[in-house]
């Protein structure tokens, strides 16, 4: 299954396009199935209706755990590095992880969870988070992991959207020198969540928490009441494995649905290939399991391949900006997979944090989440890889389940800031606004995918029409990514960023409409418009233009009130970096906000605002420009 030469890549790619069913059928043979499929693929992008490995039965945890026990039971599966480096790290071998997952799966059953039930997971980056995820998969329950930075309201919306029956959380989380009261947040959320029957609480930071009789139970107590034998539930290849909520151009996040068979094959295949993982190596992905990167490339991908995956609780700058390099040295990390925002942030501390750190174990570097600028690419290459470790700039999305366009480490020649070439099985095309294919090289367009791949989303939970509208209706018979893209003279792809109203702030995906809705919930705000602007570390910053007519007191205080409101409604990750109070917004006569103009103002590029003649009140633009200069 592993590609070892560029020639083989070309051959595999060709085969995957000419005979996709044969190609993926062969890849899938590298996994363990209870029953084989009768058809590799049936599809229709109009509905959309996509089925991979139809008729096949499996359980993904047998692929991630059981099948490694005989030969690799004592091999480390997860190495956990705590937030505080003074604290003891924890190593779970495959045998231990299997035992813990089975035991916790029995806890879930004991608390009424069964196949098909939705379970919300809101936890810190501790091994128990991976255990909770795998335990859900073990019994066929559908996990919906919510990132620890989301507010009670965001959690409640997500729990209610998928009618979760059980919540798994912890008393609190550490994040650098901060403590986050996870259970308090959950308590606030659950006031509005009638479907939740049980809440399982892990003790982690040992902060006092309220435990509601009949609903809340302690993880530590529960595991004492069960044994560690739990046969895996037999799942259909197209049964739901998990839901993961993600933002789009509307105000309401949607639950992206991934299914068992195709997702497993795709996460495993892409992990083995993109990172060129070799047996015995230590692999470190710095993402949070609350995002798709953590699902596919901390948990399912690496474990399905019997790899050793480092799970880090903390942040890159605590207790110092040497932390990543300390971890690399401590565990002799061979592959480091991180985000451009982290690279830029660490780069800003200069070379001192690298002083005396032994990074010689590093063989492969990876980047994900947003376009990587050339400066960051070169710094990563030179200072971290010492010019010897290929950088895989991996382009993909929550919806794609796994990496789509990326170099294959040691195989594909890299090029700074380019995701390079599509992986086997992936057929990208560029289209213009009218959906016409842009052929040839040295061209730009909107990035679409014209053929299904096993890891793709199947629906958006509870609202299939929304899936169809969002991804399959913009262009006929194509999956639309929402990204703009350049294909250079060599046929290499460079993703240039979103072409819809979605922001990418420090690799976190946030819809402008969502932030606007949150700002508008502040009692004094009449209207707002949110756009992104280039930010040195975050990639994009959030710039909010806000109409707040009867402000009392200082404007600075009102800004803080707005930030507080956004934190309550969405979470701290969506707080605007800049707020500009304005008396009006540039609108067309039909009332549409002209974001193009606001984007230019936010970028500080007011030389050429383009055609403003269709504006209802062109004067408002001058006013905003003047106010923006003083911000
Ligand atoms: C969006 C998806 C994929 C896991 C993390 C983010 C942007 C992602 C790259 C890259 C340029 C990238 C795209 C994409 N993006 N990777 N290597 N180069 N842009 O997942 O939250 O679903 O966001 O992130 O704009 O559409 P996500």
């Amino acid at each position: 299954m592993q590609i070892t030469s560029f020639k083989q890549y070309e051959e595999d790619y060709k085969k995957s396009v000419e005979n996709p069913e044969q190609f993926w059928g062969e890849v899938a043979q590298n996994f363990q199935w209870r029953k084989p499929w009768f058809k590799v693929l049936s599809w229709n992008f109009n509905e959309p209706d996509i089925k991979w490995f139809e008729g096949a039965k499996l359980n993904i945890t047998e692929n991630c755990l059981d099948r490694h026990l005989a030969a690799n039971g004592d091999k480390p599966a997860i190495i956990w590095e705590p937030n505080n480096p003074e604290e003891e790290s924890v190593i779970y071998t495959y045998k231990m992880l299997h035992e813990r997952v089975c035991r916790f799966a029995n806890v879930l059953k004991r608390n009424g969870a069964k196949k098909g039930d939705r379970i919300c997971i809101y936890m810190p980056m501790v091994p128990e988070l991976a255990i909770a995820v795998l335990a859900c998969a073990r019994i066929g329950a559908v996990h919906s992991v919510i990132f620890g930075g989301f507010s009670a309201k965001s959690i409640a919306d997500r729990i209610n959207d998928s009618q979760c029956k059980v919540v798994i959380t912890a008393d609190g989380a550490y994040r650098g020198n901060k403590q986050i009261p996870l259970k308090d947040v959950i308590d606030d959320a659950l006031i509005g969540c009638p479907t939740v029957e049980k809440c399982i609480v892990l003790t982690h930071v040992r902060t006092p928490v309220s435990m509601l009789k009949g609903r809340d139970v302690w993880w530590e107590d529960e595991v004492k009441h069960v044994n560690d034998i739990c046969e895996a539930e037999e799942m259909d290849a197209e049964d739901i494995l998990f839901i993961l909520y993600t933002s789009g151009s509307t105000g309401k996040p949607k639950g992206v649905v991934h299914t068992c068979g195709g997702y497993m094959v795709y996460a495993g295949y892409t992990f083995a290939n993109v990172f060129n993982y070799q047996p015995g190596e230590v692999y470190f992905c710095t993402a949070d399991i609350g995002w798709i990167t953590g699902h596919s490339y901390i948990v399912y991908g690496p474990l399905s391949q019997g790899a050793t995956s480092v799970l880090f609780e903390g942040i890159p700058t605590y207790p110092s900006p040497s932390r990543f390099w300390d971890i690399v040295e401590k565990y002799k990390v061979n592959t480091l997979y991180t985000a451009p925002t982290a690279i830029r942030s660490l780069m800003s501390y200069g070379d001192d944090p690298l002083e005396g750190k032994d990074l010689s174990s590093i063989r492969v570097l990876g980047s994900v989440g947003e376009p990587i600028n050339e400066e960051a690419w070169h710094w990563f290459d030179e200072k971290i890889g010492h010019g010897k470790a290929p950088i895989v700039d991996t382009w993909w999305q929550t919806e794609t389940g796994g990496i789509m366009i990326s170099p294959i480490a040691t195989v594909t020649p890299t090029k700074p800031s380019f995701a390079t070439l599509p992986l086997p099985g992936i057929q990208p095309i560029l289209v213009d606004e009218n959906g016409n294919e842009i052929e040839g090289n040295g061209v730009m367009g909107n990035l679409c995918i014209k053929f299904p791949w096993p890891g793709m989303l199947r629906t958006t939970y509870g609202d299939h029409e929304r899936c169809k509208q969002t991804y399959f209706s913009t262009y006929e018979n194509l999956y639309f990514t929402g990204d703009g893209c350049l294909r250079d003279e060599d046929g290499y792809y460079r993703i240039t960023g979103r072409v819809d109203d979605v922001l990418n702030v420090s690799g976190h995906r946030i819809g402008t409409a969502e932030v606007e809705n949150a700002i508008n919930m502040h009692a004094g705000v009449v209207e707002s418009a949110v756009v992104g602007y280039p930010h040195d570390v975050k990639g994009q910053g959030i710039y909010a233009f806000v109409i707040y007519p009867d402000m009392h007191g200082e404007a600075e205080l009102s800004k803080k009130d707005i930030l507080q409101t956004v934190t309550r409604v969405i979470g701290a990750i969506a707080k605007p970096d800049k707020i500009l109070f304005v008396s009006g917004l540039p609108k067309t006569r039909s009332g549409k906000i002209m974001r193009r103009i606001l984007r230019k103002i936010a970028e500080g590029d007011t030389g050429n605002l383009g055609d403003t003649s269709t504006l209802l009140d062109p004067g408002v633009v001058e006013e905003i420009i003047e106010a923006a200069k003083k911000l």
Side-chain angles (χ1 to χ4, degrees):
M1 170 161 108
Q2 245 177 4
I3 298 167
T4 51
S5 68
F6 195 70
K7 187 165 157 279
Q8 190 194 342
Y9 161 73
E10 287 178 314
E11 283 166 10
D12 283 11
Y13 189 82
K14 188 157 174 277
K15 181 173 169 187
S16 77
V17 172
E18 285 169 0
N19 202 337
E21 293 200 46
Q22 195 198 340
F23 174 81
W24 286 114
E26 281 171 21
V27 171
Q29 299 293 351
N30 294 286
F31 295 80
Q32 190 179 304
W33 304 84
R34 292 253 187 116
K35 257 189 220 136
W37 50 91
F38 57 79
K39 184 145 181 42
V40 173
L41 168 67
S42 42
W43 69 290
N44 169 346
F45 271 2
N46 290 320
E47 297 291 342
D49 181 16
I50 291 117
K51 292 193 190 83
W52 282 94
F53 310 113
E54 218 170 324
K57 304 283 179 192
L58 76 153
N59 186 292
I60 195 169
T61 69
E62 289 184 332
N63 284 270
C64 291
L65 301 168
D66 305 60
R67 71 161 165 164
H68 307 309
L69 295 182
N72 287 313
D74 295 324
K75 185 180 167 178
I78 289 178
I79 299 176
W80 179 66
E81 170 72 10
N83 178 65
N84 178 355
E86 309 283 292
E87 253 172 57
E88 201 87 25
S89 58
V90 176
I91 296 179
Y92 280 93
T93 63
Y94 273 93
K95 217 185 266 165
M96 289 158 74
L97 187 61
H98 176 265
E99 188 259 331
R100 299 298 155 102
V101 168
C102 288
R103 190 175 282 274
F104 193 68
N106 285 332
V107 168
L108 291 176
K109 285 190 193 165
R110 182 182 139 85
N111 282 277
K114 48 185 196 324
K115 180 174 177 175
D117 287 343
R118 275 78 59 212
I119 297 185
C120 164
I121 303 178
Y122 186 68
M123 289 180 82
M125 280 285 284
V126 291
E128 288 81 359
L129 167 51
I131 291 167
V133 162
L134 292 163
C136 288
R138 188 82 177 171
I139 66 166
V142 174
H143 56 77
S144 165
V145 184
I146 301 177
F147 175 64
F150 282 113
S151 70
K153 184 183 180 308
S154 289
I155 298 167
D157 290 347
R158 286 160 171 78
I159 287 178
N160 290 332
D161 185 75
S162 51
Q163 301 130 345
C164 295
K165 188 168 167 185
V166 175
V167 173
I168 308 169
T169 189
D171 50 359
Y174 298 115
R175 240 189 97 74
N177 52 22
K178 285 201 208 100
Q179 243 195 57
I180 298 149
L182 297 182
K183 177 61 165 60
D184 281 359
V185 180
I186 285 290
D187 285 338
D188 286 347
L190 293 189
I191 292 168
C193 298
T195 59
V196 174
E197 293 168 13
K198 283 280 153 85
C199 178
I200 304 170
V201 186
L202 176 79
T203 303
H204 182 55
V205 301
R206 296 183 171 274
T207 181
V209 292
S210 140
M211 293 292 282
L212 199 66
K213 191 173 282 162
R215 187 194 70 186
D216 301 346
V217 294
W218 293 109
W219 177 301
E220 297 76 12
D221 293 340
E222 289 300 299
V223 291
K224 288 186 195 138
H225 291 116
V226 294
N227 65 20
D228 57 8
I229 299 160
C230 177
E231 218 207 307
E233 188 76 31
E234 185 166 288
M235 303 297 285
D236 193 274
E238 283 298 333
D239 279 340
I240 302 184
L241 175 62
F242 66 85
I243 305 169
L244 188 56
Y245 284 86
T246 191
S247 298
S249 43
T250 66
K252 197 173 159 253
K254 46 194 172 296
V256 168
V257 170
H258 286 289
T259 57
C260 297
Y263 174 82
M264 169 182 77
V265 169
Y266 199 66
Y269 173 78
T270 51
F271 172 78
N273 278 291
V274 170
F275 302 106
N276 183 247
Y277 183 79
Q278 301 300 316
E281 285 193 327
V282 177
Y283 161 90
F284 176 22
C285 167
T286 71
D288 192 291
I289 295 177
W291 308 108
I292 190 69
T293 308
H295 282 62
S296 302
Y297 300 111
I298 295 178
V299 182
Y300 289 118
L303 297 181
S304 77
Q305 301 307 299
T308 298
S309 182
V310 176
L311 199 159
F312 173 41
E313 181 186 18
I315 55 170
T317 49
Y318 179 82
S320 83
S322 295
R323 190 63 193 276
F324 277 4
W325 324 130
D326 290 335
I327 297 174
V328 167
E329 194 174 88
K330 183 169 173 188
Y331 303 112
K332 301 196 168 45
V333 168
N334 303 109
T335 301
L336 175 68
Y337 188 30
T338 192
T341 185
I343 298 169
R344 288 190 299 262
S345 153
L346 295 174
M347 205 168 95
S348 73
Y349 293 91
D351 291 352
D352 286 358
L354 286 159
E355 198 66 44
K357 306 293 170 193
D358 180 7
L359 305 181
S360 60
S361 57
I362 287 183
R363 192 175 67 83
V364 175
L365 293 171
S367 168
V368 61
E370 45 170 326
I372 180 165
N373 48 307
E374 291 205 28
E375 196 194 353
W377 196 99
H378 286 295
W379 186 85
F380 204 32
D381 180 40
E382 285 154 28
K383 303 287 178 181
I384 309 306
H386 296 130
K388 290 185 297 208
I391 297 178
V392 291
D393 175 0
T394 63
W395 173 84
W396 58 298
Q397 309 177 297
T398 303
E399 294 86 344
T400 70
I403 298 166
M404 301 284 281
I405 303 181
S406 167
I408 293 171
T410 75
V411 168
T412 316
T414 60
K415 191 185 280 195
S417 81
F418 280 77
T420 72
L421 299 171
L423 296 182
I426 304 308
Q427 300 185 36
I429 87 164
L430 302 185
V431 297
D432 65 19
E433 275 93 88
N434 305 316
N436 299 316
E437 177 162 6
I438 304 170
E439 283 171 290
N441 288 339
V443 293
M444 280 184 81
N446 289 345
L447 178 63
C448 294
I449 313 290
K450 67 176 170 194
F451 196 84
W453 63 100
M456 71 185 297
L457 87 165
R458 301 297 193 268
T459 186
T460 45
Y461 194 83
D463 192 350
H464 192 64
E465 182 60 23
R466 188 147 179 228
C467 172
K468 178 175 170 171
Q469 285 305 326
T470 311
Y471 307 105
F472 299 93
S473 299
T474 317
Y475 306 111
E476 205 182 328
N477 257 314
L478 298 174
Y479 166 82
F480 178 42
T481 65
D483 280 317
C485 183
L486 161 80
R487 185 168 53 221
D488 76 357
E489 296 300 339
D490 300 327
Y492 271 39
Y493 292 84
R494 170 195 224 157
I495 284 67
T496 49
R498 305 285 307 196
V499 294
D500 51 9
D501 293 319
V502 173
L503 304 180
N504 193 325
V505 182
S506 301
H508 299 156
R509 181 163 156 187
I510 301 165
T512 55
E514 237 179 294
V515 183
E516 287 165 6
N517 289 349
I519 294 173
N520 297 349
M521 283 177 81
H522 185 282
V525 172
V526 170
E527 200 180 5
S528 63
V530 165
V531 297
Y533 72 98
H535 187 288
D536 284 347
V537 173
K538 297 180 176 188
Q540 272 188 308
I542 304 179
Y543 198 125
F545 298 84
V546 179
I547 307 180
Y548 190 153
D550 302 314
M551 197 181 302
H552 22 92
E554 282 172 60
E556 281 312 308
L557 266 176
S558 299
K559 283 188 188 176
K560 289 201 176 121
D561 291 346
I562 290 172
L563 294 182
Q564 193 64 26
T565 309
V566 173
T567 305
R568 279 248 179 247
V569 177
I570 306 175
I573 54 168
K575 278 197 292 193
D577 299 276
K578 290 185 182 178
I579 296 175
L580 186 69
F581 291 117
V582 296
S583 67
L585 293 167
K587 288 189 179 172
T588 61
R589 286 189 192 95
S590 59
K592 221 180 131 225
I593 296 172
M594 289 186 80
R595 290 166 182 285
R596 177 178 58 80
I597 292 176
L598 293 178
R599 248 178 255 131
K600 288 233 163 192
I601 296 174
E603 283 166 22
D605 170 23
T606 50
N608 176 19
L609 289 179
D611 183 13
T612 53
S613 64
T614 55
L615 282 179
L616 189 62
D617 172 15
V620 80
V621 175
E622 281 310 311
E623 181 213 302
I624 298 175
I625 292 174
E626 285 314 307
K629 280 184 193 153
K630 294 189 202 111
L631 192 67

